[in-house]
Amino acid sequence: MGAAAAPSSNYRGPVDDCLQSDLLYGRANHLAADCTANYVHFYPENMNPRMAESTNGELGIGSFNLFHLGDNQSSMKHYGLVAKIMNQWDIVGAQEMMPLPGDWATANQKIYELISRRNGKMVTLLSDNWSVVVPGYLRLLMALQTLDPSWAVILQPVPEGEGTSGEMAGFYYRSKKVRLKDWGYCPSDRSVDLKTNNKVGNFACLLQIPDDQRRLMSRVAFTAYFQAGKFDFVGVTTHVRFRAADAEADLKEQADDVCSFHENAAKCKPTKDEVGRFFEVAATVNQFKDIRQIAGDNDIIFTGDFNLQDDPKSKGLWRAALNPAPGFVVAQNGLTTLSVKSAKLISDYDHFILDTKATSECDVQSIRPFDFTTADTSSDPVMREIAKFLKPSMQQAYLQDAQNAMSTLAKYQAGRGSTDGSVRPLSDKEKADMIRSYTEAVQRMKANKYGALMELISDHVPIEMRCRIPFRDDD
């Protein structure tokens, strides 16, 4: 696949999406939004972020690498299928959410400025139902809300990390069952709504990694504090780096840090590819002592795509990386990554990491991959829905739907002289480029069912865990 298009040079990702939401994205979807330097939060407009139904019973927690959610490398992503998978759970740590590609980011910014100059009045096109390209993470939220209108998402405000555009991590959560909690770990002066300058809940932020460690990391984990009934816990989610650091000095510093915790320094020999990954795990869990003290809560659930397997060869390095957080263990080692070439699952990169004694509400025996690659042989209703799209006829119909949707898409047309511009439909070339992207994706689907599932859903299957909501908090 080709590289994703870089975002517009002055486009900051979710924080700008959030600031533009009222006029571009929320106008037809009844979304409220808080735009802060700590986090961006989209939720149903009738929801109180601090309130949820009092509940007991069970809480479903998932983690999902969403594979280029919203950029040019996933043009045939089926948001409805992804939403049906995630709707089985109540909180989902999400990774690899992408900012808008550059041309669409620029177009949306220009249209937003045009509407703003017209005092918020809608701009007419050839019909009243014109639309802009919606960021992938919001498209997924909207798909989830068709299944349960209480779904919300909270995520980091600016992309970061490898690649030309960076990416974001965050949490989707069912707000009728789960609420966000204020806490003191995140810098309170950054939890200010950038639209109104009013303080909002101090709910979430990137981990407060010291600068000397941060400079050696590609991405920093995102954290938020949740409560479901009497069960409250800190969620931490990340997509650990894939590429190794370029500088030999950085690789040595990463290795020295990890190996300083190893039970046998002579046997601490991480490979070039994995040393930075274990370093990012260690830097993350090094924050857990502060999180527990500040939150007054022993329950931390760390999840994501670690690009690290949990196998006999790596046990010593895992123990070293988790040494700063005694009691925390890797609690998922089922295969989770799709190989189109091999037509099978090949790696266990996705994990839950938790202190199983402290977080006794969660049943580690329930942890497993949700293996949607078995959809064609499963009787599960979600799997049956996925299996439909393994048929070429359904893929062709989906391609036609995607092409039809182009008819309402709008871009900005600069004005001449003193005029301030207008909104126009896509040009023939722009339509042809999109159709080419769609048809290339459909061709990749034809390789085998793994190719189809990667294009429609992800190159990772998600993982899940069931937790009990107790009658009283044990912290």
Side-chain angles (χ1 to χ4, degrees):
M1 295 182 185
S8 169
S9 59
N10 63 345
Y11 167 63
R12 298 173 294 173
V15 69
D16 283 334
D17 300 335
C18 186
L19 292 170
Q20 298 168 6
S21 174
D22 288 348
L23 297 183
L24 292 186
Y25 311 124
R27 62 189 177 95
N29 295 285
H30 309 292
L31 284 176
D34 295 332
C35 321
T36 83
N38 273 335
Y39 63 83
V40 164
H41 186 204
F42 290 92
Y43 52 94
E45 63 183 3
N46 61 351
M47 182 195 101
N48 182 337
R50 290 181 171 85
M51 297 294 292
E53 296 174 11
S54 179
T55 187
N56 52 37
E58 190 176 75
L59 185 75
I61 300 177
S63 178
F64 205 169
N65 178 322
L66 293 164
F67 181 61
H68 285 273
L69 186 78
D71 75 5
N72 294 333
Q73 290 198 51
S74 60
S75 59
M76 290 298 287
K77 180 86 69 183
H78 196 302
Y79 290 83
L81 291 180
V82 178
K84 285 182 178 180
I85 293 170
M86 290 170 56
N87 193 51
Q88 301 175 102
W89 310 308
D90 303 300
I91 301 176
V92 181
Q95 308 90 42
E96 212 166 300
M97 297 183 281
M98 310 302 289
L100 281 168
D103 55 342
W104 291 111
T106 299
N108 287 6
Q109 285 179 311
K110 293 291 187 181
I111 292 172
Y112 172 77
E113 292 164 4
L114 176 61
I115 298 172
S116 297
R117 289 196 296 271
R118 296 183 180 183
N119 298 317
K121 293 180 181 178
M122 293 300 103
V123 180
T124 58
L125 186 60
L126 303 178
S127 63
D128 291 334
N129 67 334
W130 67 267
S131 61
V132 295
V133 167
V134 177
Y137 65 90
L138 276 182
R139 287 185 66 186
L140 178 54
L141 175 61
M142 293 167 188
L144 282 163
Q145 289 183 339
T146 66
L147 305 173
D148 179 343
S150 78
W151 277 100
V153 65
I154 190 164
L155 71 158
Q156 66 188 81
V158 177
E160 64 171 7
E162 302 155 294
T164 56
S165 65
E167 61 185 68
M168 297 85 67
F171 296 92
Y172 290 85
Y173 70 98
R174 198 186 305 271
S175 66
K176 69 182 181 185
K177 193 168 183 179
V178 180
R179 72 177 179 92
L180 292 162
K181 291 187 69 173
D182 287 284
W183 60 326
Y185 177 77
C186 297
S188 60
D189 61 339
R190 293 171 60 85
S191 290
V192 174
D193 190 273
L194 300 173
K195 296 174 293 185
T196 64
N197 207 35
N198 293 330
K199 284 229 170 200
V200 292
N202 196 26
F203 299 138
C205 59
L206 293 172
L207 287 186
Q208 303 299 291
I209 304 288
D211 289 345
D212 61 331
Q213 293 179 325
R214 176 65 189 89
R215 68 178 181 80
L216 295 171
M217 300 176 72
S218 175
R219 286 179 286 266
V220 173
F222 185 74
T223 184
Y225 197 8
F226 296 100
Q227 181 155 8
K230 297 295 184 181
F231 178 38
D232 50 4
F233 69 94
V234 175
V236 179
T237 191
T238 191
H239 183 193
V240 169
R241 73 186 308 140
F242 184 75
R243 298 184 184 90
D246 293 327
E248 288 295 328
D250 290 346
L251 293 169
K252 182 179 185 307
E253 194 169 346
Q254 291 168 342
D256 288 348
D257 183 272
V258 172
C259 291
S260 69
F261 297 111
H262 201 279
E263 56 210 19
N264 185 335
K267 293 185 177 181
C268 183
K269 297 178 180 179
T271 67
K272 180 179 179 179
D273 285 338
E274 68 187 7
V275 61
R277 302 170 191 175
F278 279 115
F279 176 82
E280 290 191 1
V281 173
T284 299
V285 303
N286 195 46
Q287 290 293 302
F288 288 3
K289 181 179 179 181
D290 286 347
I291 286 174
R292 280 175 155 177
Q293 289 178 342
I294 292 169
D297 198 319
N298 288 320
D299 297 317
I300 301 174
I301 298 173
F302 180 23
T303 189
D305 172 7
F306 293 84
N307 282 312
L308 290 166
Q309 299 210 91
D310 177 30
D311 56 27
K313 294 186 296 183
S314 64
K315 291 293 185 184
L317 286 166
W318 271 114
R319 285 193 292 271
L322 297 177
N323 181 276
F328 281 80
V329 295
V330 181
Q332 199 299 121
N333 57 13
L335 298 177
T336 56
T337 60
L338 280 67
S339 169
V340 177
K341 183 178 180 180
S342 303
K344 62 182 181 180
L345 295 174
I346 58 170
S347 303
D348 64 318
Y349 282 167
D350 301 84
H351 308 294
F352 287 109
I353 294 176
L354 69 161
D355 182 336
T356 57
K357 291 182 179 179
T359 309
S360 58
E361 295 90 344
C362 295
D363 177 11
V364 294
Q365 300 302 316
S366 71
I367 296 174
R368 68 180 185 113
F370 181 77
D371 184 5
F372 56 68
T373 68
T374 64
D376 51 346
T377 60
S378 174
S379 61
D380 178 274
V382 175
M383 293 283 207
R384 285 204 304 268
E385 190 67 22
I386 295 169
K388 291 179 185 177
F389 285 85
L390 296 176
K391 300 175 181 178
S393 60
M394 285 292 288
Q395 294 171 13
Q396 195 61 38
Y398 181 49
L399 171 62
Q400 188 60 55
D401 289 342
Q403 292 178 354
N404 292 342
M406 293 189 304
S407 63
T408 65
L409 286 178
K411 279 200 169 181
Y412 175 77
Q413 178 69 51
R416 295 182 178 180
S418 61
T419 60
D420 60 359
S422 60
V423 174
R424 63 166 176 82
L426 300 186
S427 68
D428 289 342
K429 182 182 183 306
E430 288 165 339
K431 290 179 181 178
D433 288 344
M434 292 185 71
I435 290 172
R436 186 181 307 111
S437 175
Y438 294 154
T439 53
E440 287 173 356
V442 171
Q443 284 300 116
R444 292 192 294 270
M445 289 185 198
K446 294 179 179 179
N448 52 42
K449 75 174 182 181
Y450 288 83
L453 293 170
M454 184 184 78
E455 296 294 332
L456 291 165
I457 301 173
S458 178
D459 63 347
H460 287 243
V461 301
I463 57 175
E464 63 178 331
M465 173 171 66
R466 300 289 166 176
C467 300
R468 173 180 52 87
I469 301 175
F471 290 103
R472 62 183 180 85
D473 189 358
D474 64 357
D475 287 314

